[in-house]
Amino acid sequence: MKKDLIATRQAIVEGQIHPQAVAEACLDIAQGPHCRDAFLLLTPETLQQTASQAAVQTQPLAGLAVSVKDLFDVQGQVTTAGSVVLRHQPPAQQDAQAVARLRAAGAGLIGRTNMVEFAFSGVGINPHHGTPAAWDALTDTSAGDAQAPRVPGGSSSGAAVSVATGAAFIGLGSDTGGSIRIPAALNGIVGFKNTARLVPTQGALPLSTTLDTVCAMTRTVRDTILAHEILSNRQVPKSDKPLSSYRLAVVRDFMQDGMDATVSRAFERSLQTLRAAGAQIEEIALPELLDIGPMMRTGGFSPAESFAWHRQLLAQNADLYDPRVAQRIRLGAGMMAYEYIDLLHARAAWIQRIETALHRHDAVLSPTTPIAAPLLHDVAPGAERDAEFFRVNGLLLRNTAAVNTLDGCGISLPCHAPGELPVGLMAWHGAMHDDAILQLALLLEPLLQQA
């Protein structure tokens, strides 16, 4: 694992390295083969200028490289959300609020990252701009190779690859149903989905105004805490609680249904390691999770709310859309107003039931995704592979989307052994449990690296 942001910043403060040298190293990686198709736009001048002027003693990001998902406005750049439909739109007149907060903290913006068109998939494929390969598919011969790349996860695909390769220290992205945690899991890095209300979405192109969350991926938990503090403009309190004081739950049904052998092996080994370290882990039944399917039978929030935004564009430019994305957006056209209102009420009642069921526990542990990264050629664009694509997409999104439906927070931590495909362990809970989840993650991280 390459040095994280905090260690690199400390080396800069101590005079061991200059921010401009770090910037050059990041740019070399971003322009190299491991980041192929990860960036839609590189901005070396912006990164180099910020690095040369960095106030390393006072700025928490000290001019270090941060990538921005193509969902966010950056002043002077066109926000296309991974599409070709919006390529002729005027440049943004100001930064999205999340981007502005990162800039104010000293972020060096290295470029805009590739993504699933309009953020509407957990697989990571983009037929317009190419699909970046999952990082381990290019670096680990036991996991794959450049001739058989694996999907990077989505929708924040390029953001994940930018962090995993070392091109960026923070990958700014969004999470509506798992778009931060899924690519984090498939690329072996850390991805945190905060409670949605904590970070403003102003200046980010919407998918679902109900579920959209602005958050980030990093290489370590401590970097994640720093990124969250900047994005949310709040401090995460330190905690001296030992691991044994946390009441942790594991849900066998739903969250572990359909696990493949790679994920099952890594997850079970991780639970054994945590128990050996003193963690109190209780297996619980949470049948309320099974209510998600019936509750979303009319399509859910994302199709309805995205169709409201896209309906005119889609009517005029349907041939320019990724057909799989257009298909999902069109599902929202048939939702009636009363069905949408019923869904709002049903979700609120469901959240109350889940929170009541989990009131004795500090966090739930589950696999971030029940499957490891599939091979790209199995789900690549093409009508003959649509059925497999949608099957894989549903599996990748299932666990993480439950946390979004809960209006909760969750973090994905790498839990695979060297030589294995990346697997994520997700610690999660309901809304405003962010600090406890992050404090717990600091304790889990070193143990999972030893598992």
Side-chain angles (χ1 to χ4, degrees), residues 51-249:
S52 68
Q53 299 173 351
V56 298
Q57 300 295 336
T58 57
Q59 291 182 315
L61 300 185
L64 297 175
V66 171
S67 67
V68 177
K69 185 177 182 178
D70 190 36
L71 199 75
F72 295 90
D73 287 347
V74 176
Q75 186 178 28
Q77 298 177 8
V78 177
T79 304
T80 68
S83 75
V84 294
V85 180
L86 302 178
R87 60 189 169 186
H88 299 305
Q89 294 295 305
Q93 295 186 356
Q94 62 183 20
D95 289 341
Q97 196 160 347
V99 174
R101 288 180 176 182
L102 289 165
R103 266 204 224 257
L109 304 186
I110 188 171
R112 306 183 71 84
T113 51
N114 199 356
M115 57 179 285
V116 173
E117 183 185 56
F118 297 117
F120 215 159
S121 163
V123 180
I125 291 171
N126 188 306
H128 310 300
H129 304 298
T131 298
W135 170 231
D136 275 43
L138 294 173
T139 60
D140 189 328
T141 55
S142 67
D145 55 42
Q147 283 69 49
R150 293 179 181 268
V151 301
S155 62
S156 307
S157 53
V161 173
S162 75
V163 172
T165 57
F169 290 92
I170 295 173
L172 177 65
S174 63
D175 192 310
T176 303
S179 289
I180 283 285
R181 289 157 294 156
I182 295 168
L186 302 192
N187 286 274
I189 56 176
V190 179
F192 177 56
K193 181 241 180 279
N194 46 261
T195 302
R197 73 196 75 160
L198 291 180
V199 181
T201 59
Q202 176 273 325
L205 195 149
L207 171 59
S208 165
T209 51
T210 297
L211 303 174
D212 288 346
T213 307
V214 175
C215 37
M217 284 173 276
T218 67
R219 294 174 208 157
T220 61
V221 175
R222 64 180 185 171
D223 280 3
T224 287
I225 292 174
L226 175 61
H228 174 64
E229 288 180 333
I230 293 167
L231 291 170
S232 63
N233 193 30
R234 59 185 294 273
Q235 294 295 306
V236 176
K238 298 187 183 303
S239 173
D240 296 324
K241 287 178 59 176
L243 179 60
S244 59
S245 68
Y246 286 86
R247 299 160 299 175
L248 307 178

Side-chain angles (χ1 to χ4, degrees), residues 25-39 42 138 165 167:
C26 290
L27 285 168
D28 284 346
I29 296 170
Q31 294 166 341
H34 296 316
C35 278
R36 186 181 66 245
D37 297 324
F39 287 90
L42 281 171
L138 294 173
T165 57

Side-chain angles (χ1 to χ4, degrees), residues 134 143 149-153 186-187 260 263 369 371-376 396 421-422:
R150 293 179 181 268
V151 301
L186 302 192
N187 286 274
D260 67 23
V263 174
T369 65
I371 58 173
L375 293 171
L376 177 57
L396 289 174
L421 283 171

Side-chain angles (χ1 to χ4, degrees), residues 388-407:
E388 178 63 5
F389 169 85
F390 285 112
R391 184 190 74 84
V392 165
N393 188 55
L395 278 173
L396 289 174
L397 284 162
R398 186 194 66 205
N399 292 359
T400 54
V403 179
N404 296 75
T405 304
L406 181 61
D407 189 26

